[in-house]
Amino acid sequence: MARIKKVLVKRTEYTKITIPGDLLLYIIACIAAGIESTLFQNPKILTAYYTAGTAAKTALSDAIDNYTLFPIKANMDIVLDKMALVIIWLDGYSDQVETISNLPANRTTREEAATNITISHLSPQKLVSSSKGDPDTPVFTAKNNGDGVIGMEVTNGTAYKPSNIVFVAVEIPFNADKFVPPAVVSIVDGQVIVQCSVGVITSLLTLSGKGKKPQFKTLKTGVSFAIYAYAMNGNDQISGLSAPVTVRM
C-alpha cells in the first residue's frame, strides 16, 4: 500500500500576525477548538498544555491592556515578548495537531488529515496533487444474485481506494461433445484482451468512487462466467489482473 504523505500545519497563518489583538483572538480560538474536539481534547493533548496556553493568552491580554493605558515603548516591548510566548505555544500545539491528524486511525486520505487540522482552528498547508502510484490488485468475491445478476464485493479493506476498479465478466465456453479451452484474459498497455477459440460473451463494468459492491446485470443465464478485476489510478497506473472468480448463472 502506498504511504500517505503527512499533511502539515500552515504555521505562517499565525507567525505572520503582527497585530497583538488578532494574535490574542487566534490563540483563544485554538484553545477553545482543541478542548471541545474529541480529536484533540485531553488526554490526546493534555489539559496541562491547554492550561499553559491559557496562561500565555492571559499574559498577552494583560500586556495589551497595560500598553493601552500606558502606551510607552517599554510596555510595547512586553507585548511583543508575550506575543512570542503565544507563538511558542502555538508551535507546540501545531506539532501535536499534525501528529494526531495524520495518525492512520484518524485519516485514510490526505484530505481527511487536512480536515482534521481545520477542526483545531489551525490551517493545513495546501495539498499538492501527487501520483498515487500503481494500486494493489483487487481482491473480491462474486455470487449469482438471480435474474442474470452477478454481485461483487471488494474485500481489500477500507484503506483501499483506487480511482477506478474495472470488472470483466467472460463467459466460460461449454460444449458437451468436446472440451473447449476457456478464454485467456490479459491486460496489454492498459487494454483488456480476451482471446478464445469460440465466441464468448464479455462484459465490462467500472466501479468509481467509494462503492464496493457493484453488479453485472442482464447477463445470460444457464452458463458460467469468469469474473476478473483490475484497478486504476489514472490511465497509466494500473494494477495486475486478479485471479478469476467463477460464477454459475
Side-chain angles (χ1 to χ4, degrees):
M1 185 186 304
R3 181 183 177 186
I4 299 176
K5 186 178 179 181
K6 185 176 181 180
V7 179
L8 303 178
V9 170
K10 184 180 179 182
R11 302 187 186 219
T12 53
E13 187 86 5
Y14 57 83
T15 58
K16 290 190 174 182
I17 295 177
T18 57
I19 299 173
D22 290 350
L23 187 61
L24 179 63
L25 292 175
Y26 193 90
I27 188 175
I28 290 172
C30 285
I31 293 170
I35 289 174
E36 294 172 5
S37 168
T38 56
L39 265 181
F40 306 115
Q41 63 188 203
N42 185 70
K44 295 168 184 176
I45 295 180
L46 295 177
T47 298
Y49 195 78
Y50 288 115
T51 300
T54 299
K57 177 266 295 183
T58 301
L60 176 57
S61 178
D62 290 347
I64 293 171
D65 290 343
N66 192 48
Y67 177 76
T68 301
L69 291 173
F70 306 102
I72 61 175
K73 182 181 181 302
N75 287 339
M76 174 50 71
D77 289 342
I78 294 174
V79 170
L80 295 176
D81 288 343
K82 301 312 176 185
M83 289 179 70
L85 182 64
V86 167
I87 295 296
I88 291 172
W89 186 89
L90 288 170
D91 280 340
Y93 181 59
S94 297
D95 289 341
Q96 296 177 79
V97 166
E98 283 177 350
T99 298
I100 295 167
S101 297
N102 287 279
L103 288 174
N106 296 331
R107 65 92 183 95
T108 55
T109 64
R110 299 190 75 233
E111 289 76 13
E112 191 171 4
T115 298
N116 291 342
I117 289 173
T118 62
I119 293 171
S120 72
H121 191 71
L122 297 169
S123 298
Q125 292 185 7
K126 183 179 179 181
L127 298 181
V128 178
S129 59
S130 58
S131 171
K132 292 184 177 181
D134 291 343
D136 293 335
T137 300
V139 179
F140 65 97
T141 59
K143 65 178 181 177
N144 180 359
N145 288 338
D147 298 323
V149 176
I150 293 178
M152 288 78 66
E153 181 174 0
V154 179
T155 59
N156 291 71
T158 57
Y160 185 65
K161 295 182 179 180
S163 300
N164 297 292
I165 301 176
V166 181
F167 292 89
V168 185
V170 181
E171 180 188 2
I172 299 175
F174 175 77
N175 188 315
D177 298 323
K178 64 177 181 178
F179 171 74
V180 180
V184 176
V185 182
S186 59
I187 301 176
V188 179
D189 295 331
Q191 301 176 79
V192 178
I193 306 296
V194 179
Q195 296 175 302
C196 192
S197 59
V198 297
V200 291
I201 297 170
T202 301
S203 183
L204 272 70
L205 174 65
T206 300
L207 172 65
S208 301
K210 296 182 179 180
K212 293 293 179 72
K213 297 182 179 181
Q215 291 184 331
F216 282 106
K217 298 179 180 180
T218 64
L219 291 178
K220 181 181 178 180
T221 59
V223 300
S224 295
F225 284 89
I227 313 297
Y228 300 81
Y230 63 95
M232 303 177 67
N233 286 329
N235 294 327
D236 299 321
Q237 297 169 328
I238 302 173
S239 76
L241 187 67
S242 74
V245 177
T246 300
V247 180
R248 175 68 181 175
M249 299 299 289

